[in-house]
Amino acid sequence: MNPSRLFVLRPVATSLLMVAVLLAGFVAYRQLPISALPQVDYPTIQVFTFYPGAGPEVMASSVTAPLETQFGQMPGLKQMLSTSSGGASVITLQFGLDIGLDVAEQEVQAAINASSNLLPTDLPIPPIYNKVNPADTPILTLAVTSKSMPLPQVQNLIDTRVAQKISQLPGVGLVSLSGGQRPAVRVRANPRALASYNLGLDDLRTAIANANVNQAKGSFDGPTRASTIDANDQLRSADDYRSLGR
């Protein structure tokens, strides 16, 4: 039996059937979900390196460049973006969709370990990384300004109080800060004055490092209780460093 014979003999029913199919397709098309940014988990990792007191040029040449050299050798790396600012370096690594996030994390850790001998020896902490999703855009942006407080104090206030409270709200997944300014003190040495005291730049660096100690000074051990003498000798302002040379 010819399957098209029924449609040829009944043209009116065929026309009504085609109209019904067209209407059903139109209604179904209007109900299809459309997303400008589809929910795709890209294997993306951000590497943060902090070097307080270093300028953007020093961060780019001493920190960002060696890390980029090691990261560029990783297989499966699709895109790499870096930003060097005062005291901080941020490198964003995006891998192909065929690379698992756990595998990419292991490769990043291996590259960081391989670049440890190329980075400055006085980094406070080694580079840290975390997993990010570029499709997760911030849903709320807050701007904070002050006419009476300097920008470093505003940064510290928002970081220690406001951001902590916001992160504790239900439904908040991530709170990030940008545009602030962290305090930094730069020491400009006088080579002639140092030479008159038979001192060099290494001696000056050692004196500054010894004056910025944040560790326990000692302890008391008793039969039932042990106590630790803790004090923070870190220098916070330029006046503190000025008194160091006296």
Side-chain angles (χ1 to χ4, degrees), residues 227-244:
S227 302
T228 301
I229 303 175
D230 193 4
N232 187 355
D233 293 339
Q234 288 183 321
L235 306 180
R236 299 293 184 180
S237 62
D239 295 334
D240 298 335
Y241 283 90
R242 189 176 296 110
S243 62
L244 180 63

PDB file of all heavy atoms in Angstrom, residues 227-244:
ATOM      1  N   SER A 227      52.635  28.797  77.969  1.00  0.00           N
ATOM      2  CA  SER A 227      52.288  30.099  77.408  1.00  0.00           C
ATOM      3  C   SER A 227      53.343  30.519  76.404  1.00  0.00           C
ATOM      4  O   SER A 227      54.532  30.213  76.548  1.00  0.00           O
ATOM      5  CB  SER A 227      52.171  31.161  78.512  1.00  0.00           C
ATOM      6  OG  SER A 227      51.200  30.787  79.478  1.00  0.00           O
ATOM      7  N   THR A 228      52.881  31.229  75.376  1.00  0.00           N
ATOM      8  CA  THR A 228      53.767  31.708  74.317  1.00  0.00           C
ATOM      9  C   THR A 228      53.789  33.222  74.327  1.00  0.00           C
ATOM     10  O   THR A 228      52.729  33.864  74.367  1.00  0.00           O
ATOM     11  CB  THR A 228      53.302  31.201  72.940  1.00  0.00           C
ATOM     12  OG1 THR A 228      53.279  29.774  72.950  1.00  0.00           O
ATOM     13  CG2 THR A 228      54.230  31.682  71.843  1.00  0.00           C
ATOM     14  N   ILE A 229      54.975  33.787  74.297  1.00  0.00           N
ATOM     15  CA  ILE A 229      55.136  35.236  74.226  1.00  0.00           C
ATOM     16  C   ILE A 229      55.108  35.629  72.758  1.00  0.00           C
ATOM     17  O   ILE A 229      56.028  35.324  71.999  1.00  0.00           O
ATOM     18  CB  ILE A 229      56.453  35.678  74.881  1.00  0.00           C
ATOM     19  CG1 ILE A 229      56.510  35.194  76.332  1.00  0.00           C
ATOM     20  CG2 ILE A 229      56.607  37.193  74.811  1.00  0.00           C
ATOM     21  CD1 ILE A 229      57.827  35.497  77.008  1.00  0.00           C
ATOM     22  N   ASP A 230      54.045  36.278  72.361  1.00  0.00           N
ATOM     23  CA  ASP A 230      53.843  36.623  70.955  1.00  0.00           C
ATOM     24  C   ASP A 230      53.806  38.137  70.824  1.00  0.00           C
ATOM     25  O   ASP A 230      53.131  38.826  71.597  1.00  0.00           O
ATOM     26  CB  ASP A 230      52.541  36.021  70.428  1.00  0.00           C
ATOM     27  CG  ASP A 230      52.463  36.081  68.913  1.00  0.00           C
ATOM     28  OD1 ASP A 230      53.452  36.511  68.299  1.00  0.00           O
ATOM     29  OD2 ASP A 230      51.406  35.718  68.366  1.00  0.00           O
ATOM     30  N   ALA A 231      54.503  38.664  69.846  1.00  0.00           N
ATOM     31  CA  ALA A 231      54.515  40.103  69.576  1.00  0.00           C
ATOM     32  C   ALA A 231      54.729  40.321  68.089  1.00  0.00           C
ATOM     33  O   ALA A 231      55.400  39.532  67.420  1.00  0.00           O
ATOM     34  CB  ALA A 231      55.606  40.808  70.380  1.00  0.00           C
ATOM     35  N   ASN A 232      54.166  41.392  67.599  1.00  0.00           N
ATOM     36  CA  ASN A 232      54.267  41.731  66.180  1.00  0.00           C
ATOM     37  C   ASN A 232      55.174  42.943  66.038  1.00  0.00           C
ATOM     38  O   ASN A 232      54.832  44.047  66.468  1.00  0.00           O
ATOM     39  CB  ASN A 232      52.880  42.032  65.610  1.00  0.00           C
ATOM     40  CG  ASN A 232      52.924  42.219  64.094  1.00  0.00           C
ATOM     41  OD1 ASN A 232      53.985  42.214  63.494  1.00  0.00           O
ATOM     42  ND2 ASN A 232      51.765  42.388  63.497  1.00  0.00           N
ATOM     43  N   ASP A 233      56.356  42.732  65.482  1.00  0.00           N
ATOM     44  CA  ASP A 233      57.327  43.804  65.303  1.00  0.00           C
ATOM     45  C   ASP A 233      57.314  44.379  63.893  1.00  0.00           C
ATOM     46  O   ASP A 233      58.265  45.075  63.503  1.00  0.00           O
ATOM     47  CB  ASP A 233      58.741  43.294  65.615  1.00  0.00           C
ATOM     48  CG  ASP A 233      58.906  42.946  67.079  1.00  0.00           C
ATOM     49  OD1 ASP A 233      58.106  43.450  67.890  1.00  0.00           O
ATOM     50  OD2 ASP A 233      59.813  42.169  67.413  1.00  0.00           O
ATOM     51  N   GLN A 234      56.292  44.096  63.129  1.00  0.00           N
ATOM     52  CA  GLN A 234      56.265  44.584  61.760  1.00  0.00           C
ATOM     53  C   GLN A 234      56.090  46.099  61.728  1.00  0.00           C
ATOM     54  O   GLN A 234      55.341  46.671  62.518  1.00  0.00           O
ATOM     55  CB  GLN A 234      55.136  43.909  60.985  1.00  0.00           C
ATOM     56  CG  GLN A 234      55.412  42.449  60.666  1.00  0.00           C
ATOM     57  CD  GLN A 234      54.312  41.831  59.843  1.00  0.00           C
ATOM     58  OE1 GLN A 234      53.137  42.109  60.053  1.00  0.00           O
ATOM     59  NE2 GLN A 234      54.682  40.995  58.907  1.00  0.00           N
ATOM     60  N   LEU A 235      56.778  46.733  60.799  1.00  0.00           N
ATOM     61  CA  LEU A 235      56.706  48.179  60.621  1.00  0.00           C
ATOM     62  C   LEU A 235      55.618  48.492  59.606  1.00  0.00           C
ATOM     63  O   LEU A 235      55.584  47.905  58.518  1.00  0.00           O
ATOM     64  CB  LEU A 235      58.055  48.722  60.151  1.00  0.00           C
ATOM     65  CG  LEU A 235      59.263  48.352  61.034  1.00  0.00           C
ATOM     66  CD1 LEU A 235      60.534  48.939  60.461  1.00  0.00           C
ATOM     67  CD2 LEU A 235      59.042  48.799  62.460  1.00  0.00           C
ATOM     68  N   ARG A 236      54.741  49.421  59.952  1.00  0.00           N
ATOM     69  CA  ARG A 236      53.574  49.700  59.126  1.00  0.00           C
ATOM     70  C   ARG A 236      53.650  51.017  58.373  1.00  0.00           C
ATOM     71  O   ARG A 236      53.016  51.178  57.342  1.00  0.00           O
ATOM     72  CB  ARG A 236      52.312  49.706  60.012  1.00  0.00           C
ATOM     73  CG  ARG A 236      52.049  48.384  60.707  1.00  0.00           C
ATOM     74  CD  ARG A 236      51.701  47.303  59.714  1.00  0.00           C
ATOM     75  NE  ARG A 236      51.345  46.057  60.387  1.00  0.00           N
ATOM     76  CZ  ARG A 236      50.994  44.936  59.753  1.00  0.00           C
ATOM     77  NH1 ARG A 236      50.963  44.919  58.430  1.00  0.00           N
ATOM     78  NH2 ARG A 236      50.692  43.850  60.432  1.00  0.00           N
ATOM     79  N   SER A 237      54.399  51.984  58.885  1.00  0.00           N
ATOM     80  CA  SER A 237      54.389  53.319  58.291  1.00  0.00           C
ATOM     81  C   SER A 237      55.811  53.760  57.990  1.00  0.00           C
ATOM     82  O   SER A 237      56.805  53.162  58.452  1.00  0.00           O
ATOM     83  CB  SER A 237      53.710  54.324  59.232  1.00  0.00           C
ATOM     84  OG  SER A 237      54.422  54.433  60.455  1.00  0.00           O
ATOM     85  N   ALA A 238      55.918  54.873  57.238  1.00  0.00           N
ATOM     86  CA  ALA A 238      57.233  55.403  56.899  1.00  0.00           C
ATOM     87  C   ALA A 238      57.949  55.946  58.130  1.00  0.00           C
ATOM     88  O   ALA A 238      59.185  55.900  58.211  1.00  0.00           O
ATOM     89  CB  ALA A 238      57.089  56.493  55.840  1.00  0.00           C
ATOM     90  N   ASP A 239      57.197  56.458  59.106  1.00  0.00           N
ATOM     91  CA  ASP A 239      57.827  56.957  60.330  1.00  0.00           C
ATOM     92  C   ASP A 239      58.511  55.836  61.089  1.00  0.00           C
ATOM     93  O   ASP A 239      59.583  56.049  61.688  1.00  0.00           O
ATOM     94  CB  ASP A 239      56.780  57.646  61.219  1.00  0.00           C
ATOM     95  CG  ASP A 239      56.216  58.908  60.559  1.00  0.00           C
ATOM     96  OD1 ASP A 239      56.927  59.497  59.723  1.00  0.00           O
ATOM     97  OD2 ASP A 239      55.067  59.280  60.883  1.00  0.00           O
ATOM     98  N   ASP A 240      57.927  54.650  61.095  1.00  0.00           N
ATOM     99  CA  ASP A 240      58.574  53.525  61.761  1.00  0.00           C
ATOM    100  C   ASP A 240      59.896  53.163  61.088  1.00  0.00           C
ATOM    101  O   ASP A 240      60.886  52.858  61.772  1.00  0.00           O
ATOM    102  CB  ASP A 240      57.633  52.305  61.778  1.00  0.00           C
ATOM    103  CG  ASP A 240      56.352  52.574  62.550  1.00  0.00           C
ATOM    104  OD1 ASP A 240      56.391  53.450  63.436  1.00  0.00           O
ATOM    105  OD2 ASP A 240      55.340  51.905  62.270  1.00  0.00           O
ATOM    106  N   TYR A 241      59.943  53.203  59.785  1.00  0.00           N
ATOM    107  CA  TYR A 241      61.191  52.910  59.089  1.00  0.00           C
ATOM    108  C   TYR A 241      62.217  54.028  59.294  1.00  0.00           C
ATOM    109  O   TYR A 241      63.424  53.774  59.325  1.00  0.00           O
ATOM    110  CB  TYR A 241      60.929  52.726  57.592  1.00  0.00           C
ATOM    111  CG  TYR A 241      60.327  51.405  57.227  1.00  0.00           C
ATOM    112  CD1 TYR A 241      58.956  51.228  57.189  1.00  0.00           C
ATOM    113  CD2 TYR A 241      61.130  50.312  56.928  1.00  0.00           C
ATOM    114  CE1 TYR A 241      58.388  49.997  56.870  1.00  0.00           C
ATOM    115  CE2 TYR A 241      60.590  49.088  56.589  1.00  0.00           C
ATOM    116  CZ  TYR A 241      59.217  48.935  56.572  1.00  0.00           C
ATOM    117  OH  TYR A 241      58.671  47.711  56.243  1.00  0.00           O
ATOM    118  N   ARG A 242      61.739  55.273  59.421  1.00  0.00           N
ATOM    119  CA  ARG A 242      62.662  56.388  59.638  1.00  0.00           C
ATOM    120  C   ARG A 242      63.363  56.269  60.977  1.00  0.00           C
ATOM    121  O   ARG A 242      64.562  56.578  61.097  1.00  0.00           O
ATOM    122  CB  ARG A 242      61.887  57.702  59.552  1.00  0.00           C
ATOM    123  CG  ARG A 242      62.770  58.928  59.557  1.00  0.00           C
ATOM    124  CD  ARG A 242      61.968  60.204  59.383  1.00  0.00           C
ATOM    125  NE  ARG A 242      61.326  60.229  58.075  1.00  0.00           N
ATOM    126  CZ  ARG A 242      60.016  60.116  57.894  1.00  0.00           C
ATOM    127  NH1 ARG A 242      59.208  59.927  58.924  1.00  0.00           N
ATOM    128  NH2 ARG A 242      59.493  60.153  56.679  1.00  0.00           N
ATOM    129  N   SER A 243      62.643  55.806  61.969  1.00  0.00           N
ATOM    130  CA  SER A 243      63.266  55.632  63.284  1.00  0.00           C
ATOM    131  C   SER A 243      64.206  54.431  63.321  1.00  0.00           C
ATOM    132  O   SER A 243      65.013  54.304  64.230  1.00  0.00           O
ATOM    133  CB  SER A 243      62.183  55.475  64.357  1.00  0.00           C
ATOM    134  OG  SER A 243      61.396  54.315  64.107  1.00  0.00           O
ATOM    135  N   LEU A 244      64.113  53.544  62.344  1.00  0.00           N
ATOM    136  CA  LEU A 244      64.969  52.365  62.310  1.00  0.00           C
ATOM    137  C   LEU A 244      66.422  52.738  62.074  1.00  0.00           C
ATOM    138  O   LEU A 244      67.343  52.081  62.562  1.00  0.00           O
ATOM    139  CB  LEU A 244      64.489  51.400  61.232  1.00  0.00           C
ATOM    140  CG  LEU A 244      65.265  50.089  61.056  1.00  0.00           C
ATOM    141  CD1 LEU A 244      65.160  49.252  62.327  1.00  0.00           C
ATOM    142  CD2 LEU A 244      64.722  49.310  59.862  1.00  0.00           C
TER     143      LEU A 244
END
